Amino acid sequence: DDISHFYEIERLRREFIANVSHELKTPLTGIRGFIEPLLDGTVDDEETRYKYLTLIRDESLHLNGLIDELLNYSRFEAGKVEVNLVPLDIGNVIENIGFKMQLLADSKGINLELRVPEGIPFVYGAEDKIEEVLCNLLSNAIRYTPKKGVIIVSVKDEGEMLRISVSDSGLGIDEEDLPYIWERFYKADKSRTPSDGGTGLGLAIVKSIVNAHGGTVSVESKVGEGSTFSFTLRKVQDSI
Ligand code: ADP
C-alpha cells in the first residue's frame, strides 16, 4: 500500500546517501595517505614523488565525478528540470549517442544497432537533456544484457509525436517490479551492491526529463527475453 511504499522509498533514500558518503571517503583516505609521506620527507626520490602526485590527482578527479553526481541528483530532487525546447535533429542525436556507446557495447560483445531511417522529422527538445535520456537508457540496456546480446534503437512516427525505443535482449524485469522502476532509488535486482554502479536514479531522471518535454515514457518487458523502453517527443510539424 501507499504508506509502506512511502517508507520503502525513504529507506532507499537513506541507503543512497549512506552509499555515496561511503564512496566519498575512499578517495579522500587515499589522498591523505599519499600526502603524509610527501610532507614528512619520507619520499626523497623524484620518481616516487611524481607517482604519489599522479595518484592524488586521479583521486581528486574521482571525487569530482562523485560530487557532480550528487549535484545532479540534488538539482533533480529540487524538481528543477528546465528544458529549453528547440527544433532538434533527433536522428543526428541518436547517431551521436550510438557512436559514443559503441565501445561499451563492443566490450561486452553486444551488437548495438541503430535503425534510424533517412529524413525522420525534427522534434522539439533540449539536446543535452535528450542525450542524457538516451545515454541512461542505453547504459541500462548494456548493463542488463548479457554478452553477445542485441540492442536496437528505433524510431516510429505516431502522428503528432515521434516514439524512440531502445530494445534489448537482456535479463528483462519481473512483472511485479515493472510499476516501480521509474521511481527514485528503485532497483529491481535487490542482490546488487553499490559497486555495480547503479543508484536507481537513471530511469527517474529519464521520466522527469521526458515529462518536462511534454512526452511520455513506457516499458514492456519479459523476464529472460528482454525489455523495450520507449519515450515520445513532439514533432516539429513543418520540418523538411
Ligand atoms: P540503476 O542505476 O539501478 O540502473 P535505473 O533507475 O536506471 O537505476 O533502473 C531501475 C531498475 O530498473 C534497475 O535497477 C534494473 O533493475 C531495472 N532496469 C532498468 N533498465 C533495465 C533493462 N534494460 N533491463 C533490465 N532491467 C532494467
Side-chain angles (χ1 to χ4, degrees):
D1 56 72
D2 277 359
I3 304 226
S4 60
H5 187 61
F6 170 80
Y7 283 115
E8 172 67 3
I9 294 290
E10 210 22 57
R11 188 185 65 76
L12 293 168
R13 198 180 66 85
R14 261 183 271 124
E15 193 180 291
F16 170 76
I17 305 282
N19 287 344
V20 174
S21 317
H22 179 79
E23 276 186 53
L24 287 172
K25 280 198 78 158
T26 315
L28 259 184
T29 309
I31 288 173
R32 279 180 34 213
F34 295 121
I35 284 179
E36 285 311 327
L38 286 172
L39 272 181
D40 67 16
T42 339
V43 178
D44 45 13
D45 63 305
E46 203 48 41
E47 200 183 319
T48 315
R49 226 174 70 86
Y50 182 77
K51 193 172 113 199
Y52 282 18
L53 287 172
T54 310
L55 288 166
I56 290 172
R57 185 203 47 204
D58 292 350
E59 291 291 17
S60 23
L61 285 175
H62 182 192
L63 265 183
N64 226 338
L66 287 171
I67 288 166
D68 279 348
E69 223 171 88
L70 267 182
L71 283 177
N72 240 341
Y73 165 66
S74 49
R75 240 178 263 134
F76 162 74
E77 179 86 314
K80 281 196 212 113
V81 180
E82 281 165 26
V83 290
N84 181 23
L85 302 182
V86 296
L88 203 64
D89 183 351
I90 186 70
N92 195 259
V93 176
I94 295 173
E95 301 279 353
N96 285 341
I97 290 290
F99 182 74
K100 284 187 202 162
M101 304 300 280
Q102 191 68 56
L103 267 185
L104 195 59
D106 285 349
S107 72
K108 273 188 86 176
I110 289 173
N111 184 13
L112 172 58
E113 195 184 317
L114 307 181
R115 290 194 191 152
V116 185
E118 294 273 318
I120 56 167
F122 279 42
V123 294
Y124 287 108
E127 184 158 3
D128 55 337
K129 296 284 186 254
I130 297 306
E131 280 187 354
E132 193 175 344
V133 166
L134 283 166
C135 188
N136 284 353
L137 292 180
L138 278 170
S139 38
N140 277 350
I142 294 172
R143 186 185 302 154
Y144 301 112
T145 298
K147 288 189 174 22
K148 308 254 181 282
V150 182
I151 296 171
I152 298 169
V153 184
S154 57
V155 291
K156 189 168 149 228
D157 198 322
E158 294 188 343
E160 291 198 341
M161 310 298 275
L162 198 73
R163 179 174 298 279
I164 297 116
S165 306
V166 176
S167 294
D168 66 63
S169 66
L171 306 177
I173 302 160
D174 229 304
E175 208 175 323
E176 62 181 34
D177 286 316
L178 267 187
Y180 304 115
I181 54 167
W182 302 99
E183 290 183 22
R184 290 174 290 148
F185 312 118
Y186 196 85
K187 300 187 206 176
D189 181 2
K190 311 279 190 316
S191 61
R192 283 188 298 135
T193 61
S195 60
D196 290 342
T199 51
L201 283 175
L203 289 178
I205 291 173
V206 164
K207 184 169 188 241
S208 63
I209 291 176
V210 171
N211 289 348
H213 277 76
T216 55
V217 293
S218 66
V219 59
E220 280 170 43
S221 186
K222 261 220 170 82
V223 171
E225 290 181 19
S227 315
T228 298
F229 284 86
S230 71
F231 62 97
T232 60
L233 291 172
R234 189 164 299 282
K235 276 161 51 180
V236 176
Q237 289 298 340
D238 56 356
S239 66
I240 0 90

Coordinates of all heavy atoms in Angstrom, one line a residue, residues 28-94:
L28 N 39.2 10.2 -0.5 CA 39.8 11.1 0.4 C 40.8 10.4 1.3 O 41.9 11.0 1.5 CB 38.7 11.7 1.3 CG 38.2 13.1 1.0 CD1 37.2 13.5 2.0 CD2 39.3 14.0 0.9
T29 N 40.5 9.2 1.7 CA 41.5 8.5 2.5 C 42.8 8.2 1.7 O 43.9 8.4 2.2 CB 40.9 7.1 2.9 OG1 39.6 7.4 3.5 CG2 41.8 6.4 3.9
G30 N 42.6 7.9 0.4 CA 43.7 7.7 -0.5 C 44.6 9.0 -0.6 O 45.8 8.9 -0.4
I31 N 43.9 10.1 -0.8 CA 44.6 11.4 -0.9 C 45.5 11.7 0.3 O 46.7 12.0 0.2 CB 43.6 12.5 -1.2 CG1 43.1 12.4 -2.7 CG2 44.3 13.9 -1.0 CD1 42.0 13.3 -3.0
R32 N 44.8 11.5 1.5 CA 45.6 11.8 2.7 C 46.8 10.8 2.9 O 47.8 11.3 3.3 CB 44.6 11.7 3.9 CG 43.8 13.0 4.1 CD 42.9 13.0 5.3 NE 43.4 12.2 6.4 CZ 42.6 11.5 7.2 NH1 41.3 11.5 7.0 NH2 43.1 10.9 8.3
G33 N 46.5 9.6 2.5 CA 47.6 8.6 2.6 C 48.8 9.0 1.8 O 50.0 8.7 2.1
F34 N 48.6 9.6 0.6 CA 49.8 10.0 -0.3 C 50.4 11.3 0.1 O 51.6 11.5 -0.1 CB 49.3 10.0 -1.7 CG 48.9 8.7 -2.3 CD1 47.6 8.5 -2.8 CD2 49.8 7.6 -2.2 CE1 47.2 7.2 -3.2 CE2 49.4 6.3 -2.7 CZ 48.1 6.2 -3.2
I35 N 49.6 12.2 0.8 CA 50.1 13.5 1.1 C 51.1 13.4 2.3 O 52.1 14.0 2.3 CB 49.0 14.5 1.5 CG1 48.3 14.9 0.2 CG2 49.5 15.7 2.3 CD1 47.2 15.9 0.3
E36 N 50.7 12.5 3.3 CA 51.6 12.4 4.5 C 53.1 12.2 4.2 O 53.9 13.0 4.6 CB 51.1 11.3 5.5 CG 49.8 11.7 6.3 CD 49.9 13.1 7.0 OE1 51.1 13.4 7.4 OE2 48.9 13.8 7.0
P37 N 53.4 11.1 3.5 CA 54.8 10.8 3.2 C 55.5 11.9 2.4 O 56.7 12.2 2.5 CB 54.8 9.5 2.4 CG 53.4 9.3 2.0 CD 52.5 10.0 2.9
L38 N 54.7 12.7 1.6 CA 55.3 13.8 0.8 C 55.6 14.9 1.8 O 56.7 15.6 1.6 CB 54.3 14.3 -0.2 CG 54.0 13.4 -1.5 CD1 52.9 14.0 -2.3 CD2 55.3 13.4 -2.3
L39 N 54.8 15.1 2.8 CA 55.0 16.2 3.7 C 56.1 15.9 4.7 O 56.9 16.8 5.0 CB 53.7 16.5 4.5 CG 52.7 17.4 3.9 CD1 51.5 17.6 4.8 CD2 53.4 18.8 3.6
D40 N 56.2 14.7 5.2 CA 57.1 14.4 6.3 C 58.5 14.0 5.8 O 59.4 13.6 6.6 CB 56.5 13.4 7.3 CG 56.4 12.0 6.7 OD1 57.0 11.7 5.6 OD2 55.7 11.1 7.3
G41 N 58.7 14.1 4.5 CA 60.0 13.9 4.0 C 60.4 12.4 3.8 O 61.6 12.2 3.5
T42 N 59.5 11.5 3.9 CA 59.8 10.1 3.7 C 60.1 9.8 2.2 O 60.9 9.0 1.9 CB 58.7 9.1 4.1 OG1 57.8 9.8 5.0 CG2 59.2 7.8 4.7
V43 N 59.5 10.6 1.4 CA 59.7 10.4 -0.1 C 60.8 11.4 -0.5 O 60.7 12.6 -0.4 CB 58.4 10.8 -0.8 CG1 58.7 10.7 -2.3 CG2 57.3 9.9 -0.4
D44 N 62.0 10.7 -0.9 CA 63.1 11.6 -1.3 C 63.4 11.5 -2.8 O 64.2 12.3 -3.3 CB 64.3 11.5 -0.4 CG 64.6 10.0 -0.2 OD1 64.0 9.2 -0.9 OD2 65.4 9.7 0.8
D45 N 62.9 10.5 -3.5 CA 63.2 10.5 -4.9 C 62.1 11.0 -5.8 O 60.9 11.0 -5.5 CB 63.6 9.1 -5.4 CG 62.5 8.1 -5.2 OD1 61.9 8.0 -4.1 OD2 62.1 7.5 -6.3
E46 N 62.5 11.6 -6.9 CA 61.6 12.3 -7.8 C 60.5 11.4 -8.4 O 59.4 11.8 -8.5 CB 62.5 12.9 -9.0 CG 61.8 14.1 -9.7 CD 61.3 15.1 -8.7 OE1 62.0 15.4 -7.7 OE2 60.2 15.6 -9.0
E47 N 60.9 10.1 -8.7 CA 60.0 9.2 -9.3 C 58.8 8.9 -8.4 O 57.7 8.9 -8.8 CB 60.8 7.9 -9.6 CG 60.1 7.0 -10.7 CD 60.9 5.7 -10.9 OE1 62.1 5.8 -10.9 OE2 60.2 4.7 -11.0
T48 N 59.1 8.6 -7.1 CA 58.0 8.3 -6.2 C 57.1 9.5 -6.0 O 55.9 9.4 -5.9 CB 58.6 7.8 -4.8 OG1 59.6 6.9 -5.1 CG2 57.5 7.2 -4.0
R49 N 57.8 10.7 -5.9 CA 57.1 11.9 -5.7 C 56.0 12.1 -6.8 O 54.9 12.4 -6.6 CB 58.1 13.1 -5.7 CG 57.9 14.2 -4.7 CD 59.0 15.2 -4.7 NE 58.9 16.0 -5.9 CZ 58.1 17.1 -6.0 NH1 57.5 17.5 -4.9 NH2 58.0 17.8 -7.1
Y50 N 56.5 11.9 -8.1 CA 55.7 12.0 -9.2 C 54.5 11.0 -9.2 O 53.4 11.4 -9.4 CB 56.5 11.8 -10.5 CG 55.8 11.9 -11.8 CD1 55.5 13.2 -12.3 CD2 55.3 10.8 -12.5 CE1 54.7 13.3 -13.4 CE2 54.6 10.9 -13.6 CZ 54.3 12.2 -14.1 OH 53.5 12.4 -15.2
K51 N 54.8 9.8 -8.8 CA 53.8 8.8 -8.7 C 52.7 9.1 -7.7 O 51.5 9.0 -8.0 CB 54.5 7.4 -8.3 CG 53.6 6.2 -8.4 CD 54.3 4.9 -8.2 CE 53.8 4.2 -7.0 NZ 54.7 3.2 -6.4
Y52 N 53.1 9.6 -6.5 CA 52.2 10.0 -5.5 C 51.3 11.1 -5.9 O 50.1 11.2 -5.7 CB 52.9 10.3 -4.2 CG 53.3 9.1 -3.4 CD1 53.4 7.9 -4.0 CD2 53.6 9.2 -2.0 CE1 53.8 6.7 -3.3 CE2 54.0 8.1 -1.3 CZ 54.1 6.9 -1.9 OH 54.5 5.8 -1.2
L53 N 52.0 12.1 -6.6 CA 51.2 13.3 -7.0 C 50.2 12.9 -8.1 O 49.0 13.4 -8.1 CB 52.1 14.4 -7.6 CG 52.9 15.1 -6.5 CD1 53.9 16.1 -7.1 CD2 51.9 15.9 -5.6
T54 N 50.6 11.9 -9.0 CA 49.6 11.5 -10.0 C 48.4 10.8 -9.4 O 47.3 11.0 -9.8 CB 50.3 10.5 -10.9 OG1 51.6 11.1 -11.4 CG2 49.5 10.1 -12.1
L55 N 48.7 10.0 -8.3 CA 47.6 9.3 -7.6 C 46.7 10.3 -7.0 O 45.5 10.1 -7.0 CB 48.2 8.3 -6.6 CG 48.8 7.0 -7.2 CD1 49.7 6.3 -6.2 CD2 47.8 6.1 -7.9
I56 N 47.3 11.3 -6.4 CA 46.5 12.3 -5.7 C 45.6 13.0 -6.8 O 44.4 13.2 -6.5 CB 47.3 13.4 -5.0 CG1 48.0 12.7 -3.8 CG2 46.5 14.6 -4.6 CD1 49.0 13.6 -3.1
R57 N 46.2 13.3 -7.9 CA 45.4 14.0 -9.0 C 44.2 13.0 -9.4 O 43.1 13.5 -9.5 CB 46.2 14.3 -10.2 CG 45.4 15.1 -11.2 CD 46.0 15.0 -12.6 NE 46.3 13.6 -13.0 CZ 47.2 13.3 -13.9 NH1 47.9 14.3 -14.5 NH2 47.5 12.0 -14.2
D58 N 44.5 11.8 -9.6 CA 43.5 10.8 -10.1 C 42.4 10.7 -9.0 O 41.2 10.7 -9.4 CB 44.1 9.5 -10.4 CG 45.0 9.5 -11.6 OD1 45.0 10.6 -12.3 OD2 45.7 8.5 -11.8
E59 N 42.7 10.6 -7.8 CA 41.7 10.5 -6.7 C 40.9 11.8 -6.7 O 39.7 11.7 -6.4 CB 42.4 10.2 -5.4 CG 43.0 8.8 -5.2 CD 42.0 7.7 -5.2 OE1 40.8 7.9 -5.6 OE2 42.4 6.6 -4.8
S60 N 41.5 12.9 -6.9 CA 40.6 14.1 -6.9 C 39.7 14.2 -8.0 O 38.6 14.7 -7.9 CB 41.4 15.4 -6.7 OG 42.7 15.3 -7.1
L61 N 40.1 13.7 -9.2 CA 39.2 13.6 -10.3 C 38.0 12.7 -10.0 O 36.9 13.0 -10.3 CB 39.9 13.1 -11.6 CG 40.9 14.1 -12.2 CD1 41.6 13.4 -13.4 CD2 40.1 15.3 -12.8
H62 N 38.3 11.6 -9.3 CA 37.3 10.7 -8.9 C 36.3 11.3 -8.0 O 35.1 11.2 -8.2 CB 38.0 9.4 -8.3 CG 37.0 8.4 -7.9 ND1 37.4 7.3 -7.1 CD2 35.7 8.2 -8.1 CE1 36.4 6.5 -6.9 NE2 35.3 7.0 -7.5
L63 N 36.8 12.1 -7.0 CA 36.0 12.8 -6.1 C 35.1 13.8 -6.9 O 33.9 13.9 -6.6 CB 36.9 13.7 -5.1 CG 37.2 13.0 -3.8 CD1 38.0 14.0 -3.0 CD2 35.9 12.7 -3.1
N64 N 35.7 14.5 -7.8 CA 34.9 15.4 -8.6 C 33.8 14.8 -9.3 O 32.6 15.3 -9.3 CB 35.9 16.0 -9.7 CG 35.7 17.5 -9.8 OD1 34.7 18.0 -9.4 ND2 36.7 18.1 -10.4
G65 N 34.0 13.6 -9.9 CA 32.9 12.8 -10.5 C 31.8 12.5 -9.6 O 30.6 12.7 -9.9
L66 N 32.2 12.1 -8.4 CA 31.1 11.7 -7.4 C 30.3 12.9 -7.0 O 29.1 12.9 -6.8 CB 31.8 11.1 -6.1 CG 32.4 9.7 -6.2 CD1 33.2 9.4 -5.0 CD2 31.2 8.7 -6.4
I67 N 31.0 14.1 -6.8 CA 30.3 15.3 -6.4 C 29.4 15.8 -7.5 O 28.3 16.2 -7.3 CB 31.3 16.4 -6.0 CG1 31.9 15.9 -4.6 CG2 30.7 17.7 -5.8 CD1 33.1 16.6 -4.1
D68 N 29.8 15.7 -8.8 CA 29.0 16.0 -9.9 C 27.7 15.2 -9.8 O 26.6 15.7 -10.1 CB 29.7 15.7 -11.2 CG 30.6 16.9 -11.6 OD1 30.5 17.9 -11.0 OD2 31.4 16.7 -12.5
E69 N 27.8 13.9 -9.5 CA 26.7 13.0 -9.5 C 25.7 13.5 -8.4 O 24.5 13.6 -8.6 CB 27.2 11.6 -9.1 CG 26.5 10.5 -9.9 CD 27.2 9.2 -9.7 OE1 26.8 8.5 -8.7 OE2 28.2 8.9 -10.4
L70 N 26.3 13.9 -7.2 CA 25.5 14.4 -6.1 C 24.7 15.7 -6.5 O 23.6 15.9 -6.2 CB 26.3 14.7 -4.9 CG 26.5 13.5 -3.9 CD1 27.3 14.0 -2.7 CD2 25.1 13.1 -3.4
L71 N 25.5 16.6 -7.2 CA 24.9 17.9 -7.6 C 23.7 17.6 -8.5 O 22.7 18.2 -8.4 CB 25.9 18.8 -8.2 CG 26.9 19.4 -7.2 CD1 27.9 20.2 -8.0 CD2 26.1 20.3 -6.3
N72 N 24.0 16.8 -9.5 CA 23.0 16.4 -10.5 C 21.7 15.9 -9.8 O 20.6 16.3 -10.1 CB 23.5 15.2 -11.3 CG 23.6 15.5 -12.7 OD1 22.9 16.5 -13.2 ND2 24.4 14.8 -13.5
Y73 N 22.0 15.1 -8.8 CA 20.9 14.5 -8.0 C 20.1 15.5 -7.3 O 18.9 15.6 -7.3 CB 21.4 13.4 -7.1 CG 20.3 13.0 -6.1 CD1 19.2 12.5 -6.5 CD2 20.5 13.4 -4.8 CE1 18.2 12.2 -5.6 CE2 19.5 13.1 -3.8 CZ 18.4 12.5 -4.3 OH 17.4 12.3 -3.4
S74 N 20.8 16.5 -6.6 CA 20.1 17.4 -5.8 C 19.3 18.4 -6.6 O 18.2 18.9 -6.3 CB 21.0 18.1 -4.7 OG 22.1 18.6 -5.4
R75 N 19.9 18.7 -7.8 CA 19.1 19.6 -8.8 C 17.8 18.9 -9.2 O 16.8 19.5 -9.2 CB 20.0 19.8 -10.0 CG 20.3 21.3 -10.2 CD 21.1 21.5 -11.4 NE 22.5 21.6 -11.1 CZ 23.5 21.0 -11.7 NH1 23.3 20.2 -12.7 NH2 24.8 21.2 -11.3
F76 N 18.0 17.6 -9.4 CA 16.8 16.8 -9.9 C 15.8 16.7 -8.7 O 14.6 16.8 -8.9 CB 17.3 15.4 -10.3 CG 16.3 14.4 -10.3 CD1 15.4 14.3 -11.4 CD2 16.3 13.4 -9.4 CE1 14.4 13.3 -11.4 CE2 15.3 12.4 -9.4 CZ 14.4 12.4 -10.4
E77 N 16.3 16.5 -7.5 CA 15.5 16.3 -6.3 C 14.7 17.6 -6.1 O 13.5 17.6 -5.7 CB 16.4 16.0 -5.1 CG 15.7 15.9 -3.8 CD 15.2 14.5 -3.6 OE1 14.6 13.9 -4.4 OE2 15.4 14.0 -2.5
A78 N 15.3 18.8 -6.4 CA 14.6 20.1 -6.2 C 13.6 20.3 -7.3 O 12.9 21.3 -7.3 CB 15.7 21.2 -6.2
G79 N 13.5 19.3 -8.2 CA 12.4 19.4 -9.2 C 12.8 20.4 -10.3 O 11.9 20.9 -11.0
K80 N 14.0 20.8 -10.5 CA 14.4 21.8 -11.4 C 14.8 21.2 -12.8 O 15.9 21.4 -13.2 CB 15.5 22.7 -10.9 CG 15.1 23.7 -9.9 CD 16.1 24.8 -9.7 CE 16.1 25.3 -8.3 NZ 17.3 25.0 -7.5
V81 N 13.9 20.5 -13.4 CA 14.3 20.0 -14.8 C 13.7 21.1 -15.7 O 12.5 21.1 -16.0 CB 13.7 18.7 -15.1 CG1 14.1 18.3 -16.5 CG2 14.2 17.6 -14.2
E82 N 14.6 22.0 -16.1 CA 14.1 23.0 -17.1 C 14.6 22.7 -18.4 O 15.8 22.4 -18.6 CB 14.7 24.4 -16.6 CG 13.9 25.0 -15.5 CD 14.7 26.1 -14.8 OE1 15.5 26.8 -15.5 OE2 14.4 26.3 -13.6
V83 N 13.7 22.8 -19.4 CA 14.1 22.5 -20.7 C 13.8 23.6 -21.7 O 12.8 24.3 -21.6 CB 13.5 21.2 -21.3 CG1 14.0 20.0 -20.6 CG2 12.0 21.2 -21.1
N84 N 14.8 23.9 -22.5 CA 14.7 24.9 -23.5 C 14.4 24.2 -24.8 O 15.3 23.7 -25.4 CB 16.0 25.8 -23.5 CG 15.9 26.9 -24.5 OD1 14.8 27.3 -24.9 ND2 17.0 27.3 -25.0
L85 N 13.2 24.2 -25.3 CA 12.8 23.4 -26.4 C 13.1 24.1 -27.8 O 12.6 25.2 -28.0 CB 11.3 23.0 -26.4 CG 10.9 22.3 -25.1 CD1 9.4 21.9 -25.2 CD2 11.7 21.0 -24.9
V86 N 13.9 23.4 -28.6 CA 14.2 24.0 -29.9 C 14.1 22.8 -30.9 O 14.1 21.6 -30.5 CB 15.7 24.5 -30.0 CG1 15.8 25.7 -29.1 CG2 16.7 23.5 -29.6
P87 N 13.9 23.1 -32.2 CA 13.8 22.0 -33.2 C 15.1 21.2 -33.2 O 16.2 21.8 -33.3 CB 13.6 22.8 -34.5 CG 13.0 24.0 -34.1 CD 13.6 24.4 -32.8
L88 N 15.0 19.9 -33.1 CA 16.2 19.1 -32.9 C 16.2 18.0 -33.9 O 15.2 17.3 -34.2 CB 16.0 18.4 -31.5 CG 17.2 17.9 -30.8 CD1 18.1 19.1 -30.5 CD2 16.8 17.3 -29.5
D89 N 17.4 17.8 -34.5 CA 17.5 16.7 -35.5 C 17.8 15.4 -34.7 O 18.9 15.0 -34.4 CB 18.7 17.0 -36.4 CG 18.9 15.9 -37.4 OD1 18.3 14.9 -37.4 OD2 19.8 16.2 -38.3
I90 N 16.7 14.7 -34.3 CA 16.8 13.6 -33.4 C 17.6 12.4 -34.0 O 18.3 11.7 -33.2 CB 15.4 13.2 -32.9 CG1 15.4 12.1 -31.8 CG2 14.5 12.7 -34.0 CD1 15.9 12.6 -30.5
G91 N 17.5 12.3 -35.3 CA 18.2 11.2 -36.0 C 19.7 11.4 -35.7 O 20.4 10.5 -35.4
N92 N 20.2 12.7 -35.8 CA 21.6 13.0 -35.5 C 22.0 12.8 -34.1 O 23.0 12.2 -33.8 CB 21.7 14.5 -35.9 CG 23.2 14.8 -36.1 OD1 23.7 15.4 -35.1 ND2 23.8 14.4 -37.1
V93 N 21.1 13.1 -33.1 CA 21.3 12.9 -31.7 C 21.5 11.4 -31.4 O 22.4 11.0 -30.7 CB 20.2 13.5 -30.9 CG1 20.4 13.2 -29.4 CG2 20.1 15.0 -31.1
I94 N 20.6 10.6 -32.0 CA 20.7 9.2 -31.8 C 22.1 8.6 -32.4 O 22.7 7.8 -31.7 CB 19.5 8.4 -32.5 CG1 18.2 8.8 -31.8 CG2 19.7 6.9 -32.4 CD1 16.9 8.3 -32.4

